[in-house]
Amino acid sequence: MLEFIVRGENIEVTEAIKAYVIKRLTRLERYLNDDNKYVAHVNVRSYQERTFKIEVTIQLPYLLLRAEDTQADLYQAIDFVSDKLERQIRKYKTKVNRKSREKGYKGIATFMDETLDDSQLDEDQDTKFEIVRTKHLSLKPMDVEEAILQMDLLGHSFFVFQDAESNLPAVVYKRKDGKYALIDTDL
């Protein structure tokens, strides 16, 4: 069963908001078949642009469910997050069932309910990871600022480069909030 911790940032979480969050997210309980209690951390943010961001994190034994969405309508954002979490569970369950059939292993899926019918499983199984293009690149040593400039010039959302200080590969990328982030490597 799910317990809910609903927290608001720049917004007061009213009983109506909390009730709607609980109503939408309790649908996920049908995928859980054990009596354990799981905590759903729900963060509701309000921005000055009159948008709302909903973040939900649920730690399950073998899976961390996390989804977020930003919308102008608070209730629509809650609906979208709920749908995203449900898709994540179904996709994970499909993957576990496929591996279970191939290898004969049933251990990981024990905490999930067997409520999905074969039509729901087949729609997720059709998703294959097909590589449609391969690029080869030679990494040039540069600093982070130059890498960000290169990324922006190319119009990409990320850029792989060799860090001039450490001589190790690194990645810069543009976040959804428009800021930049760096993924650094250790050897």
Side-chain angles (χ1 to χ4, degrees):
M1 296 299 143
L2 286 173
E3 292 180 19
F4 297 92
I5 298 176
V6 182
R7 196 177 68 131
E9 291 182 27
N10 300 328
I11 186 173
E12 180 184 344
V13 179
T14 63
E15 286 302 315
I17 293 171
K18 188 173 182 177
Y20 192 76
V21 166
I22 292 171
K23 175 185 168 190
R24 289 293 296 181
L25 295 180
T26 37
R27 292 180 10 190
L28 302 175
E29 288 181 346
R30 65 181 168 189
Y31 297 104
L32 308 174
N33 68 354
D34 57 8
D35 294 327
N36 291 338
K37 292 201 181 271
Y38 303 111
V39 179
H41 295 276
V42 181
N43 194 18
V44 180
R45 286 189 190 144
S46 174
Y47 294 110
Q48 290 180 346
E49 304 89 43
R50 300 189 192 277
T51 59
F52 299 94
K53 182 175 186 178
I54 309 297
E55 297 174 353
V56 178
T57 306
I58 304 170
Q59 178 67 54
L60 297 176
Y62 296 97
L63 178 66
L64 175 69
L65 295 174
R66 186 177 186 294
E68 64 182 50
D69 198 69
T70 304
Q71 296 291 325
D73 180 10
L74 173 67
Y75 294 100
Q76 188 177 30
I78 295 168
D79 291 343
F80 287 162
V81 165
S82 173
D83 293 341
K84 286 179 182 180
L85 290 169
E86 190 169 350
R87 280 193 304 273
Q88 284 180 19
I89 289 176
R90 287 178 39 204
K91 184 176 182 179
Y92 178 76
K93 182 156 176 61
T94 301
K95 187 184 294 186
V96 168
N97 284 341
R98 187 180 323 126
K99 285 184 180 179
S100 174
R101 283 192 299 266
E102 291 172 2
K103 298 182 180 181
Y105 179 68
K106 304 265 184 213
I108 294 177
T110 57
F111 74 96
M112 295 204 142
D113 195 6
E114 299 297 332
T115 58
L116 293 180
D117 60 18
D118 289 338
S119 65
Q120 289 174 315
L121 292 176
D122 289 340
E123 78 180 39
D124 288 337
Q125 281 183 356
D126 292 338
T127 305
K128 297 285 184 193
F129 298 107
E130 179 183 354
I131 298 175
V132 295
R133 183 175 180 187
T134 302
K135 285 188 174 184
H136 298 280
L137 54 104
S138 58
L139 301 180
K140 295 192 317 188
M142 60 180 74
D143 61 5
V144 175
E145 290 81 15
E146 185 180 350
I148 291 172
L149 288 173
Q150 288 287 328
M151 177 182 66
D152 287 341
L153 284 172
L154 293 170
H156 291 172
S157 57
F158 70 94
F159 188 77
V160 181
F161 67 102
Q162 182 179 351
D163 190 343
E165 293 178 20
S166 65
N167 288 327
L168 294 173
V171 176
V172 290
Y173 64 94
K174 194 166 193 172
R175 297 167 32 106
K176 288 181 182 177
D177 62 6
K179 296 179 182 174
Y180 297 98
L182 171 69
I183 300 175
D184 212 357
T185 56
D186 293 338
L187 289 182

